[in-house]
Amino acid sequence: MAVERVVVPGSVRPFLAAGASTLLLGGLGAAAVRAGGAAPGAVVALALAGLAAGVLLLDLPRRTEVDATGVVRVCLLRRERIPWDRAVAVERQRRRFAGPGTGGLVLRGRRGRWLITTAAEPPSVHAALAAVVAAHAPSVRMRAEPPRTETDPR
């Protein structure tokens, strides 16, 4: 039986980091505005908090669904569909000090890159993803090496 659909789970850590950054920068900016008005440092802190909130809500995938039609990135406030004809390869993020097979997955397209997951996926998910790509998107190259088995996707 061929694999028709695979769900690549997201990691909790980036959500915690982006949420903490948003709260910390927003709190610092609000305290600075309250204490001294709209000083440049306060405005920068609030702008960075807004940027972190935007990434958290609109661009950080909770999970990614891969099927015959393409890739669907499921973020907190939006779903983004990327058809296979816009994709070139599935690659692994580079992590300098952790070694090969430890980074998340990225979909490289003709005009940009999309984050699939921020942490290494389980080996069974990697195998299913490779099978879906091979069956439904032969022009898309699977450049991502299999994850190390001791990686923790959470």
Side-chain angles (χ1 to χ4, degrees), residues 58-153:
L58 299 172
D59 198 45
L60 198 58
R62 284 185 350 210
R63 71 178 184 278
T64 302
E65 302 165 358
V66 182
D67 59 19
T69 61
V71 174
V72 177
R73 297 176 65 236
V74 181
C75 303
L76 288 176
L77 292 183
R78 75 176 182 138
R79 295 173 63 92
E80 178 182 20
R81 174 165 288 285
I82 303 135
W84 286 124
D85 63 352
R86 291 180 58 196
V88 174
V90 177
E91 300 173 343
R92 186 152 314 273
Q93 291 176 315
R94 292 188 183 99
R95 294 221 172 149
R96 269 186 206 161
F97 302 110
T102 58
L105 295 175
V106 175
L107 181 66
R108 180 178 295 278
R110 288 175 177 75
R111 292 186 175 178
R113 295 168 44 152
W114 297 275
L115 183 65
I116 294 176
T117 183
T118 58
E121 70 286 357
S124 61
V125 172
H126 181 82
L129 177 64
V132 169
V133 170
H136 300 293
S139 64
V140 176
R141 295 189 0 203
M142 186 70 177
R143 292 184 191 156
E145 68 273 2
R148 291 195 330 211
T149 56
E150 65 267 14
T151 57
D152 178 17

